[in-house]
Amino acid sequence: MSFRIVVLAKQVPDTRNVGKDAMKADGTVNRAALPAIYNPEDLNALEMALHIKSKMKDAEVIILTMGPPRAAEIIRESIYRGADAGYLITDRKFAGSDTLATSYAVSLAVKKLAPFHLVLSGRQAIDGDTAQVGPQTAEKLNIPQITYAEEVVAVDETQITIKRRLERGIEVVKSSLPALITVHSSASECRPRNAKLLMKHKHARTVTELQEETRDYTELYNKRPYLQIEEWTVADLNADVEMLGLSGSPTKVKKIENVVLQQKETILLTEADKDIESLMKELIGTHIIG
Amino acid sequence: MNNIFVYCEVNEDGLIADVSLELLSKGRKLANDLNIKLEAVVIGDQIQNIENQIYPYGVDVIHLAQDARLFPYTTLPHSSIVVNLFKEEKPEIAIFGATSVGRDLAPRVASALRCGLTADCTSLEIGDHTENKTQKTYKNLLYQIRPAFGGNIIATIINPDTRPQMATVREGVMKLEIFSPNYKGKLKKINLEKLLKEDDFLVEILERHIESQKINIKGAQIIVAGGYGVGTKENFDLLYQLADVIGGEVGASRAAVDAGLVDHARQIGQTGITVRPKLYIACGISGAVQHRAGMDQSAKIISINNDPKAPINKIADYTIIGNVGDILPKMIKYYKENSK
Ligand SMILES: Cc1cc2nc3c(=O)[nH]c(=O)nc-3n(C[C@H](O)[C@H](O)[C@H](O)COP(=O)(O)OP(=O)(O)OC[C@H]3O[C@@H](n4cnc5c(N)ncnc54)[C@H](O)[C@@H]3O)c2cc1C
Ligand SMILES: Cc1cc2nc3c(=O)[nH]c(=O)nc-3n(C[C@H](O)[C@H](O)[C@H](O)COP(=O)(O)OP(=O)(O)OC[C@H]3O[C@@H](n4cnc5c(N)ncnc54)[C@H](O)[C@@H]3O)c2cc1C
């Protein structure tokens, strides 16, 4: 039986480099203008999975992503970098899920892939920013979790040893398998796309995507069935709809405010001695310093 | 029943972590607003006189679990204990530090209890809510206010129907305040015998290196912070000199930490420490939203930057346009000559 590693990966808007074009006139972020990317720490997770695969005699890396149809891009990107297969969890009924509902759906999909040995996720997604889906999925699968992984120290069929990055230090821990690991940004960067894999898989599509293609893929897919990316809906997961989407989400967003750069009247000074001296004099005089 | 519970982290010295004391301080205020009790959950080993440590923060009940296997923290036994306790006690609100420990534990607990959890809050308030569709009104909910989207938005989140209302809260955002030095509560010991199973110890710690919290940036009234624009370690020494003469601490942006100019323990911002000093001197820091998130509550801000358009200048009271390496020596010199 092959050693099965499941990687959870999310497509996110790139919130890190909010450039001028993504800023609205009122100084807030235009979310629609942000490009959709592979969540950065999920790439660290993919790399860790590929590294573990290289250490084992017979292992496979399978990607799970939940999102709208366009999130199939995450699966192609993973396959170009060395993943063996991927499944897209997609259904309108998942929309509006908070982390509890998300981890419920994700855990059902992982169970469908049983028997598995490891589940790897990123530590945190850069949009929701909660870092909750990893631990909550581990709880739903009833397996141990190791958060903030930086390095795989050792791994075999029954256990794994991981170096964790904590706020004020490091920890090396050993866990039995199966286990879920959340991977920290300080772990190794993901390898680039492999040109051969890119050529081989560039026509990989989901059924939804195929319906939108003008070209007929039937013949190609008969010859190369591995190009088909499978989609899983609520029905495929046998999920209880009450536990999904808005109804399955105990947290509700009451209000959202955009962060506006509050312009203050700043007093401009030069580096001339007299400017610095008058500033220091004022700070001392008003007892802010001294 | 239906009280506020705070999970208290225990550090290497057997003391309760500052972040937990901050949460107890806030928890006391919320408990007063709601007219309920404040209860603390303390799990660890060799904890120093816990009653003296936390009663002064206004704690009414301490739930204590002590066992050699419970320190250092591992996820499974701590979550078994907390889940079990919450099932019995049915808290109204439960808060955890948004730390390596709290962000590991709280989601596991929330998942087991199937209740809502809000991550990384920077503010907690009590308020009412009316559901648009049903016109149903909820009284006295916990408003959990948090940044998301890389710090570009602030969301107010509520958990109308599930209990406890759970949240993790960042270190440094709540004020640490003694409620009453002579306050006394009750100590309840958690019976571990039936609770802990062999399966709770599937994860074993082999090695651990934790720095004790020597640097006191959070408590500093004056912070001299350096960014990538400081350029060199030599220039960073100027920051230490200025901080030393005016009685402050040195902080840093992530870019300065990543460049190896300064230790990670000094990082201020979304993934570092949150500070609110009397005076914040930002040297060679551009003012990215993730940095501002950790310092924009400072009473006075001075920016030293050679770029007049740096975003940080927009939130600064004073902006000195110029080179960090030229300006800091002048400030140090003036202060040395003109203070008593
Ligand atoms: C402004 C705002 C605030 C929010 N606040 C909260 C909150 O406080 N509490 C709450 O419960 N929900 C909250 N949510 C909802 C939350 O963003 C979603 O539940 C989201 O589906 C997952 O959370 P996350 O983005 O924080 O992921 P994280 O928990 O940070 O993700 C951790 C890892 O889990 C995996 N993962 C996460 N999502 C997926 C996916 N769709 N497919 C595959 N793998 C995945 C990835 O490996 C990822 O790196 C908020 C949403 C918004 C827009
Ligand atoms: C998820 C996430 C979390 C993050 N968390 C944090 C965090 O907690 N804290 C944090 O700080 N950042 C954080 N960041 C990084 C943040 O986005 C910025 O990259 C970082 O704050 C930039 O640091 P900086 O201002 O020092 O560097 P830069 O942006 O490079 O700015 C350098 C500044 O120095 C000025 N300068 C250059 N030379 C001189 C000179 N000789 N004299 C004077 N001025 C000079 C320049 O004009 C410029 O304004 C995070 C990013 C992400 C994506």
Side-chain angles (χ1 to χ4, degrees), chain A residues 8-10 39 42 64-67 97-100 102 106 121-125 127-134 251 253 256, chain B residues 117-119 146 148 153 155 157:
Chain A
L8 310 179
K10 183 182 184 189
N39 183 50
D42 301 355
L64 275 182
T65 188
M66 175 171 129
S97 293
D98 72 356
T99 63
L100 193 74
T102 300
V106 166
S121 77
R123 177 189 56 110
Q124 180 164 337
D127 54 345
D129 266 344
T130 69
Q132 290 175 182
V133 171
T251 64
V253 177
I256 286 196
Chain B
L117 170 63
T118 305
R146 65 170 303 237
I153 63 173
I157 298 194

Side-chain angles (χ1 to χ4, degrees), chain B residues 2-55:
Chain B
N2 308 133
N3 290 327
I4 296 192
F5 281 62
V6 172
Y7 173 85
C8 294
E9 282 178 42
V10 179
N11 70 19
E12 312 290 310
D13 304 317
L15 300 173
I16 299 303
D18 277 358
V19 62
S20 308
L21 300 178
E22 292 162 13
L23 298 188
L24 289 173
S25 311
K26 178 68 187 183
R28 182 67 256 170
K29 287 189 206 145
L30 294 173
N32 288 351
D33 288 348
L34 295 172
N35 201 12
I36 57 183
K37 289 194 166 126
L38 172 64
E39 312 202 12
V41 185
V42 182
I43 304 173
D45 188 34
Q46 316 229 339
I47 301 157
Q48 296 186 25
N49 201 333
I50 185 64
E51 295 178 88
N52 289 354
Q53 275 198 65
I54 62 174
Y55 282 149

